[in-house]
């Protein structure tokens, strides 16, 4: 599952949806990769995170991430394996409203 799955926004991007995707992506990275080890508890409240509902109007496409995190368990060492936020941040102003500029990240829990 992607960290951004708002299909309406994907096909009609706006400054709000781009910002929401970046905010949620940063929240995910901070939550999963941060020094605090309670990311499983924090992920339960993903819908309260900045940009959470903009990025995921419905939760079913975030469930794969939640399941992978839970399957990895509390002792897992999460790793960032995919992140488009640097690419999106460096795009030219004329390309900023492209659907591809919604921030997306992926993780593995080992």
């Amino acid at each position: 599952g992607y960290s951004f799955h708002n299909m309406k926004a994907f096909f009609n991007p706006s400054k709000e949806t781009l910002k929401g995707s970046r905010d949620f992506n940063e929240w995910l990275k901070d939550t999963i990769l941060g020094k605090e080890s309670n990311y499983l508890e924090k992920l339960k409240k993903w819908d309260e995170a900045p940009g959470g509902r903009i990025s995921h109007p419905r939760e079913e496409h975030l469930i794969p991430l939640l399941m992978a995190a839970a399957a990895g368990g509390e002792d897992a060492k999460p790793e960032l394996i995919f992140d488009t936020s640097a690419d999106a941040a460096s795009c030219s102003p004329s390309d900023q409203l492209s659907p591809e500029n919604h921030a997306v990240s992926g993780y593995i829990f080992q």
Side-chain angles (χ1 to χ4, degrees), residues 3-79:
S3 58
F4 180 82
H5 204 279
N6 180 335
M7 297 315 291
K8 181 179 177 184
F10 184 80
F11 290 108
N12 296 293
S14 68
K15 290 180 182 181
E16 178 188 16
T17 63
L18 292 168
K19 181 181 182 324
S21 74
R22 290 181 187 138
D23 289 348
F24 186 62
N25 198 51
E26 288 305 309
W27 180 86
L28 274 177
K29 286 193 288 188
D30 290 345
T31 297
I32 294 171
L33 303 173
K35 294 181 182 186
E36 295 182 32
S37 62
N38 60 345
Y39 65 87
L40 292 174
E41 285 301 313
K42 289 182 179 180
L43 286 173
K44 290 178 184 179
K45 297 181 181 183
W46 69 268
D47 57 333
E48 297 173 13
R53 282 292 178 188
I54 289 173
S55 297
H56 286 275
R58 300 184 341 215
E59 46 278 325
E60 71 268 15
H61 292 282
L62 192 58
I63 289 175
L65 171 71
L66 302 176
M67 294 299 294
E74 292 179 7
D75 296 329
K77 304 277 189 268
E79 293 179 47

